[in-house]
Amino acid sequence: MPEIPNLVRSFDGPATRHLSQSGTVQGLGLVPGRLAPEGLLRTVCGYCSTGCGLLVHLQDGKAVNLSPDPDHPVNLGTACPKGWEALAPLASFDRGRSPLLRDPASGRMMRVSWERAMEVFVEKLGESLSRHGSDGAAFLSTGQIPTEEMLFLGALWKFGIGATAADSNTRQCMATAHTAYKESFGFDAPPFSYADFEESDNLIFVGANPAIAHPILWERVLKNRRNPTIVVLDPRRTETAQAATRHVALAPKSDLVLLYGLANEILRRGWMDRDFVAAHTEGFDSFAAFLEEFTTPRALGESGITEEEFSFLADLFEPGKRVGIWWTMGVNQSHQAVRTAQAIVNLCLMTGNIGKPGTGPNSITGQMNAMGSRLFSCTSSLPGGRNWTDPDHRREVAEWFGIPAEKIPDTSGPAYDQILSNARWGLMGFLWVVATNPAHSWIGQEDFDAAAKKTFLVVQDLYPDTETAVMADLYLPSGGWGEKDGSMINSERRLGRMRRAATPPGLALSDLDIFRLVAGAWGVEGRIGSWKTAEDLFQAMRDLSKGRPCDISGVVDLAALESQGGVQWPCPEGAYPPGKERRLFEDGRFFTKSMRAKFVFDPVRPSPITLDANYPLRLLTGRGSSSQWHTLTRTSRSAILRSLAPTDPLVEMHPADATARGLVPGEWVRIRSCRGRARARVVIASTMRQGEIFVPMHAPDANRLTEPVFDPHSRQPSYKDGAVQVERDR
Ligand SMILES: Nc1nc2c(c(=O)[nH]1)N[C@H]1C(S)=C(S)[C@@H](COP(=O)(O)OP(=O)(O)OC[C@H]3O[C@@H](n4cnc5c(=O)[nH]c(N)nc54)[C@H](O)[C@@H]3O)O[C@H]1N2
Ligand SMILES: Nc1nc2c(c(=O)[nH]1)N[C@H]1C(S)=C(S)[C@@H](COP(=O)(O)OP(=O)(O)OC[C@H]3O[C@@H](n4cnc5c(=O)[nH]c(N)nc54)[C@H](O)[C@@H]3O)O[C@H]1N2
Ligand code: SF4
Ligand SMILES: [Mo]
């Protein structure tokens, strides 16, 4: 794909320009943004949740270069390859420049005006809702747009239009951490500050590969001056495991039994913090009784680790040591994911490793703004992290929006997999996909394809050629990171400001402007109909967060975020001096009614996916390299990032498994599961355990192999599990 070397785009074309080009929709009066003509524009990276500060260099009103922000408290002048190359995906020649509508006669996508696009959108949406009821249309959105846009989309859909089905790719990513924290702490509240990486004596990473997936966070770990012990629990000897003090290669999906076994051992050693448990938690006695069956031999037998490794792990919790346990997708994506995350929470609670420097049960977020989605997108929660099931919460939100409380449903509605199965069974006729690419990333890929084919599919994306966009009936071209204003919330709960440095190409509009068009076309009035700018939405977020654990009313406007290098929530008015970092629960008070944290646990269940003679290998999937992002729509548009990543899809396997199949390095193989097939080139890797293979998720057919298994509480897909065979590709 040819490359445009630098982003050269004029600043003199505010959003209204597009409208005059389309010639028809000026009446909606989109508001032009103001852009600085010269100098450095301070913004936050739009890929991972580390939230690095970046400076866009402007010359003659054009974004000509980018460098990491030396003054940003998160990254202090560093960035990973994706951050350095953040402008390249915007400059790509093949951006979507016009709405496209599928012509029923030829089946081809034809350019249409925004007015025509909105006419069709509203007609098809209306038809589907009147035919199937309020669940008859759904949106699937993202953790990769500013929070302001998330709030607009969710409020428009649920309170303006009255549709009830909506979810986001954060279901694939953070639903487990969200549910686990909510049940244990009473609110979805990752307790840490990045400073905690530098304050621990012992850091344990469970199912997390930050050296690849959060490279600048990993840099923070390396800044720890306490000579910490760093342990990685992962079936694979990952880049992080290789750099750590110790790698413990446990069997896939054995985390829960191992963590319960460790809790039991800590209890046996008398190492728990009885005062903390008595003062600030509930449910410990039944947890302690439950742990009895998790003997050391059982933990060893099921996790496959040695007695020495087990006692090394237990030693880490010696009283007086500051222990931080960090987890990511190796935990969140499993058939018993929520309970596994809570087993980590329980270990920290029982040893008092919470609310103090260097401690905490700490979930690292995935996408740059998955936290914004969790708190404000009206999917899993009502705005401000409120609960759909709570009548007081519904009333508060209804009052703010000026709508009757009965208009707010008392459930979050169907989850992602339920939406797709509704579509498949003909119970839904309209699907709007915003800033996600499920035709590649959804588990058991064919399920998405089958569902999408049964609906009128609208895809809103930077590019018209993603695996999902090529299936669309209507394509809406959007601006991306760098072309929009707003804020995002990183892993340590820090709100950062994203700034517009360029204008979307052709007729493309920011997602916010597209939502405004939809609101106008549907005839939504009141608060939602009056929203015009990111600042309007930010003020709504401030109001809606007041008095909630995620209170941000102390941040007066978007500009205030920028001047401080971002602000962590909570930030109620007058509560914290600017720039002060903070961890939660320093006072031992949690967000439950009793203000105590809960021990939550369940019996261990085996994975529903079993190996057999046809499918004898266990499939693991995940991130392949620091220069590849998910389905590659953005990162493949940078020549530099392409040159840093493998060109072909890969499969990593243990030397003995390769030898048994007569495979040589680099050879093409076929991977089969009971669901489908994929092709890849063999990497023979002693970093793998025998009997397991690893397929980076970036390969377009990785999810042809995965099976639709979900955690029952979070309904997050179990992407890191599967039964497969590998054969020479004949
Ligand atoms: N370069 C890059 N960075 C990214 C992303 C990207 O696409 N590219 N995506 C971002 C997003 S959205 C996310 S969610 C994060 C993901 O960040 P991570 O979760 O760190 O990355 P993964 O590779 O998905 O999974 C982590 C590890 O889980 C291990 N694992 C698999 N099964 C098990 C198990 O049963 N137990 C344990 N303990 N470990 C297991 C895998 O071997 C893998 O090494 O990365 C973010 N950062
Ligand atoms: N097998 C396997 N599958 C996985 C995973 C795994 O570990 N293994 N991980 C899962 C996880 S954790 C995640 S988060 C998902 C990610 O899965 P996806 O969300 O499907 O992946 P992305 O490639 O990030 O897709 C984002 C899309 O939004 C577009 N886009 C980017 N910015 C904007 C914007 O501002 N506006 C609009 N309208 N569009 C924009 C991009 O071009 C791209 O098409 O994948 C999941 N799938
Ligand atoms: S570590 Fe994450 S936030 Fe920082 S530059 Fe890389 S992708 Fe962006
Ligand atoms: Mo994710």
Side-chain angles (χ1 to χ4, degrees), residues 41 94 163 182 262 274 325 335 356 469 498 514 523 608 717 720:
L41 193 82
D94 52 358
K182 232 175 177 171
L262 282 171
R274 292 197 180 275
I325 313 183
H335 66 285
K356 300 178 202 135
M498 295 206 292
I514 299 175
K720 292 172 166 36

Side-chain angles (χ1 to χ4, degrees), residues 245-441:
T245 319
R246 186 88 194 247
H247 171 218
V248 177
L250 79 174
K253 309 297 147 300
S254 69
D255 305 67
L256 189 54
V257 83
L258 177 59
L259 293 164
Y260 286 155
L262 282 171
N264 193 14
E265 174 65 11
I266 287 161
L267 207 57
R268 196 190 63 77
R269 294 187 186 188
W271 281 2
M272 45 170 301
D273 185 338
R274 292 197 180 275
D275 294 343
F276 181 86
V277 168
H280 303 299
T281 71
E282 60 195 24
F284 179 74
D285 290 343
S286 37
F287 181 53
F290 164 82
L291 286 179
E292 275 169 26
E293 62 177 280
F294 294 92
T295 59
T296 304
R298 179 171 173 200
L300 298 183
E302 293 183 33
S303 67
I305 73 170
T306 65
E307 205 168 338
E308 188 274 329
E309 286 171 324
F310 184 83
S311 83
F312 175 86
L313 289 173
D315 288 348
L316 299 172
F317 292 90
E318 191 185 338
K321 293 283 184 199
R322 299 170 173 185
V323 189
I325 313 183
W326 302 83
W327 84 85
T328 322
M329 292 307 122
V331 169
N332 281 1
Q333 299 171 339
S334 122
H335 66 285
Q336 247 184 325
V338 172
R339 294 296 176 255
T340 307
Q342 286 165 330
I344 294 173
V345 172
N346 296 347
L347 266 179
C348 290
L349 290 176
M350 69 189 277
T351 54
N353 274 297
I354 190 160
K356 300 178 202 135
T359 64
N362 301 330
S363 147
I364 304 173
T365 309
Q367 306 163 83
M368 71 38 180
N369 199 20
M371 175 51 88
S373 167
R374 286 145 77 177
L375 292 179
F376 288 102
S377 70
C378 305
T379 52
S380 50
S381 296
L382 279 166
R386 291 178 174 83
N387 299 325
W388 295 92
T389 47
D390 186 327
D392 291 335
H393 287 182
R394 292 201 299 276
R395 189 180 34 75
E396 285 160 22
V397 173
E399 273 171 15
W400 191 85
F401 279 97
I403 56 174
E406 312 79 70
K407 275 195 92 174
I408 300 192
D410 58 6
T411 80
S412 57
Y416 207 127
D417 64 300
Q418 295 160 328
I419 288 173
L420 295 184
S421 97
N422 284 349
R424 223 172 150 167
W425 294 107
L427 304 172
M428 202 187 92
F430 185 96
L431 184 61
W432 183 13
V433 174
V434 180
T436 181
N437 186 12
H440 176 143
S441 62

